[in-house]
Amino acid sequence: MIGRIRQFAVALALACAATLGSALPAPAALTDVLSTRNSWRIGSDGVLCTAQFRSLDPRLGGMFDRAYDLTCRDAAAPVGSAVAVRGKLDLRGLAAGQRCEAEHMDSVSGVGTVRALGCRNSSGLDFRRYLVRRGPTTYAVEGLAGYDSVLRLALTSLVADRQQPGTVKVAATMVSDPAAFARVQAGALTAGSARTEGYLRNNGGRFAESAEFFDAVASSRGDAVTRADALANQGLQQSNLGNDPAATALFDGAQTLISPRDGVLLRLLRNYRALAALNVRQPDRALAALAAPVPDSSQEADRDALRRGLINEPLSLEINSGSDEARRLRALDSQLTPAERAAILDAQALAIRGNVLRQWGKLAEAEAALRRAAGQIRAVRHGKVTSAAWLLADIGMEQALVLEHRGDRAGAIAAFDKATDLLAQALPQSPAVLSARARKAALLARTGDEAGARTLFRGVVAESAEVPDGGSTLRGLLAPYFAILARSGDAQAAADAFAAAQARQRPGVAQTQAILARQFSEGSDEASALFRLSLARMREIARTEGELADLKALAEQTAVTRDTAVALEQNLAALRAEQTGLQGRLAAYPRYQTLSRSLVDLADLRHQLRVGEAYWQLIDTAEASYALFVTPADARIYRTALDRDRLATEVRSLRDSIARSDQGEVVTDPFDIVRARQLYVGLMAPIQSQLAGVRHLIVEPDGALLQLPLAVLVTDQRGVDDYLARQKRPGADPYDLRGIAWLGRAREISTAVSARSFLDVRAVPPSRARRLYLGLGNNAVPNQRPVIAGSDGCEWPLAAWQAPISAAELKVAEQRFGPQRSQLITGSAFNDAALLTNRELGEFRVLHFATHGLVAAPRPDCPPRPALLTSFGPAGSDGLLSFREIFDLKLDADLVVLSACDTAGLATVAASREAGLSSGGNYALDGLVRAFVGAGARSVVASHWPVPDTYGSTRRLIGGLLGARPNQPVAAALADAQRGLMDDARTSHPFYWAAFIILGDGAKPLLTTNAPVFAAGPAGRRGG
């Protein structure tokens, strides 16, 4: 039963709002009334836009007045506002400082005739305003004209006091993910509203979004109670997202801010620590956390504190309950007393204990604990605390599992249905509901109803595409579904598995490829320029947000840091306004009002595959790994012979036999050919016969397989037997691996990170660059390190620059293309400062970097920051082309070749944010590869380990790759070069030939017979 701990723990964490926030002593149906909600979606489909309550709007005058900021995905600031007030509003008065046309009457669907006004501000942006009066209430919306559909739908919903259906048609770049959009929404709220919204997102299972709201609260410089609450909730979100060390650090930070007399917050933190322990499958640790002592938390204790002149957090809430914001949010926070909050938190602790007891098979004790927990919750305000229904739903699902263990299948299903209905009423269309339904489907599968489970799982997957954060929620819940599909083997199983696999979270480079495809597919008109500028501003905004957060996190706040923070905030506001204006202008172009499809139908993929091609996708789950094999004529899903842990062990051991680090030196051992054969059998034996006809294999790896090139797998046992027999002879060379049937020997291999991104890259037109080849590398050896201002002590030692990679492979390529069609930048000219100001980089179709890649950290206590090593440039140069700086390069390349160390590695989330990326990180291929894709590379050749040049192996590989014949696919050219090394006894070990992978479409040619090529200019070389 241990396999279901995380699923329950994550679900149980949904109840957190019942503790410090959201409590509603009223029927759940009232949540449909917008006037009692803090936020609501605008429309029902199209681009995601929401209305966020704005308590400090100057137009608000009474407790029944409401105002909202209107925010839309891909816009960095609110695109408009909406207001409902008792009394009159001057439509033209709302447009102060703008030039307006004459007021006129217009018609809004669902509302009827309204007063309308069009205006333009000093920056040339057009605005629209609509106003209508119903009885004593005036309703008005205003915002960018490009978001007119948002304004109209918001007004319709505001007047009806119900969410109204409709399609939002505005510009969509799809550059942001749900968490990034949540960051924009949080920025439009006060700290109190952001806190409430964070609880609501957490309760709905939208953990990544919730983390952004609590981050906004933590950055708001509130009192200790507010910051402790925010830190504890940030910790819970990190735990829910799988980052246990970060969660522990945040919990410890919250602990230092909580008064030892604050029984509510101490109970909250106690429960969060227990939930985090369950998330990493440590029930003993969870019980230890629950044993932490907490003080009594009664109303009398608070009254005593007040008599002594102390105002604690609960009393502060009561004293301030008359504020406008508190009155407005009365439906969301009914001011539970400390004793009531403590009772609910203690009930949650009992539920956690029941979970652990159920895992240990102590069903009677588990049932008693869960029953007590539910009874204790229902005792608070006679069971009318609606937010506690979420906790009751989770307790109900845990009780269902107890019933299942007792053999009461019907009772278990009924308990699940009741719990799911509770969640659906409180949190419709949320990840929490998806999670509950997926857990019920798993129950059906375990109890013999695979047909019912499959139908329910299929519905969950289909709905997840419309639920923010749905993919990350489902990643750990679909294993039973894949098991059912693999067993069934019918024609529909592969299509269902393909859809489910796409619902799961993928590396950030997949999103970057999608954006690149759209950027290069839209031409070079004014709209395309607006699109690219909007993307650039979004990245500047993300960077500035990171800089501001780092500055505010400094322990010592001086006058200089405060002034700098003010300047950054002003710059951030200007950037957000500019980017939002760009999105408004972009809405005038219909092609940008179409949402790019994030999912692909299996039929679409099969149609795009060519004769001799196949797409192989690994689906990694905790219980087992599955694989999809797709050809133009057929598709199938099957279960591999490896689970997640065994796959990780096999990949790690195989990698270590290729290249491992020993005291800073790269060591190569005899290759574990037996393990390579076993891994192939475990992963691909079921498709052995079909692979024989595949010339180009597109591989989408997952889990540990992201760290291994599949070309090293062995497809035939005879070569292995021959090799082992040879090793028994005296003087046999264990590094001579000729005669092995490598997977990469008989076929070309491309790497994909998602089917959508692969097809996007396949459809992208070739580079328009006028020149052919640019080779860069062979850094100048410095005598000493330049002094760099603002150093954080995490610089690489000078020795990193002392052994530059030879320029020989660059010269081989130069000879291949000819000096009139190529250019080399080496020596001192190859420095970061020069590259960042070089406007000619986008004029080359192929860029080739022969330099060291730095993907780890210089010391264990330093953060890893992926970079390419360059020469030191003028003052201020650090001799590195960083992840962030690479992203800033303006390329239009068909191919970027990274002939360096382990360039297929990951970038941390922190490094991704420094580069201005709002998503991704912590995946292999999200490092330097993603940076170059973001800079404008359609395909990237990268390495999985430090690439040697012993026996000229690297020169032979790169020379063969860049020596491709006209119209020869890039993957075919690389495969030809690899075969040459496979057949040489000195270089037949995979260390020499297998490091490089192609991310992108390897079927595309490096050179075409009809592509125009212009000379590189008279300065064929730059060096120093």
Side-chain angles (χ1 to χ4, degrees), residues 34 43 119 151 178 267 332 363 419 450 521 609 640 646 675 678 712 769 855 921 991 995:
L34 301 187
C119 303
L151 302 179
R267 280 174 170 80
L332 293 172
L363 300 184
E450 289 202 348
S521 299
L609 292 176
T640 75
R646 185 183 166 199
R675 192 181 297 272
Q678 291 173 342
V712 304
V855 295
F991 177 61

Side-chain angles (χ1 to χ4, degrees), residues 485-641:
L485 297 173
R487 282 194 296 268
S488 70
D490 58 52
Q492 185 62 34
D496 287 344
F498 187 63
Q502 290 183 84
R504 302 175 349 136
Q505 197 173 28
R506 298 299 298 153
V509 66
Q511 183 196 43
T512 305
Q513 284 184 316
I515 293 171
L516 174 81
R518 192 164 192 183
Q519 179 176 333
F520 281 145
S521 299
E522 300 290 2
S524 57
D525 58 5
E526 180 184 3
S528 300
L530 286 172
F531 176 81
R532 286 188 284 270
L533 188 56
S534 178
L535 296 182
R537 290 297 177 269
M538 282 297 285
R539 288 185 51 230
E540 288 183 59
I541 288 164
R543 290 175 178 176
T544 307
E545 287 173 339
E547 293 172 8
L548 184 60
D550 290 343
L551 199 63
K552 289 184 175 181
L554 293 176
E556 183 180 354
Q557 294 289 320
T558 66
V560 173
T561 57
R562 286 192 291 272
D563 290 345
T564 304
V566 169
L568 284 174
E569 287 171 339
Q570 292 173 345
N571 184 41
L572 190 58
L575 287 171
R576 285 171 172 163
E578 182 186 359
Q579 190 276 340
T580 305
L582 290 169
Q583 288 290 111
R585 288 174 173 163
L586 202 57
Y589 299 88
R591 70 177 187 262
Y592 285 106
Q593 293 183 6
T594 303
L595 284 172
S596 175
R597 290 180 60 199
S598 59
L599 304 182
V600 179
D601 292 332
L602 183 61
D604 292 340
L605 176 62
R606 288 175 54 188
H607 178 72
Q608 292 297 325
L609 292 176
R610 300 160 186 164
V611 175
E613 288 188 324
Y615 193 97
W616 185 85
Q617 178 183 3
L618 184 72
I619 304 167
D620 174 55
T621 75
E623 292 82 6
S625 293
Y626 302 88
L628 271 165
F629 185 70
V630 185
T631 68
D634 196 14
R636 63 174 295 194
I637 178 177
Y638 61 91
R639 178 171 178 161
T640 75

Side-chain angles (χ1 to χ4, degrees), residues 246-257:
T248 300
L250 287 162
F251 292 151
D252 291 344
Q255 188 88 49
T256 63
L257 297 172

